[in-house]
Amino acid sequence: SPAGMALSVLVILLLSVLYEAVKMGKAVLLRRALLALPHSISQESLLEPKEGDTGPTQGSRWFQYHVGQTLFHVVQVVLGYMVMLAVMSYNAWIFLGAIAGSTLGYFV
């Protein structure tokens, strides 16, 4: 039905926007993770806290950012495959919805 098709296109559009948002979030986390890396990259500096430190160490902050990046990557892959499968239905409206969503998500 036309209403079902419009809803499908809207859902694909939103999934594409979300894909682009997750991609940007992953890039932001990568930048924060790189800034959280200690100047000397060794196992000791990543694993052992310095004496007198009460807050999270640089190594543990880096690890938290890395776990966040991993989760963002999994979500990005799942969303990408869902949009790809929808596009592989060979429906022109679905394809245009995916393109419009990707464009809008990148613009925002």
Side-chain angles (χ1 to χ4, degrees), residues 95-106:
F95 177 73
L96 291 175
I99 296 299
S102 182
T103 304
L104 182 65
Y106 185 81

Side-chain angles (χ1 to χ4, degrees), residues 10-60:
L10 181 66
V11 167
I12 295 303
L13 186 135
L14 292 176
L15 284 176
S16 297
V17 169
L18 185 60
Y19 176 85
E20 292 293 332
V22 168
K23 188 168 72 169
M24 180 51 88
K26 197 169 100 171
V28 168
L29 275 179
L30 173 63
R31 191 177 72 176
R32 288 184 183 172
L34 290 176
L35 291 174
L37 275 175
H39 296 294
S40 166
I41 302 177
S42 65
Q43 276 192 318
E44 293 82 23
S45 64
L46 289 175
L47 297 177
E48 295 178 9
K50 295 178 183 163
E51 295 198 22
D53 281 348
T54 56
T57 62
Q58 285 183 329
S60 69

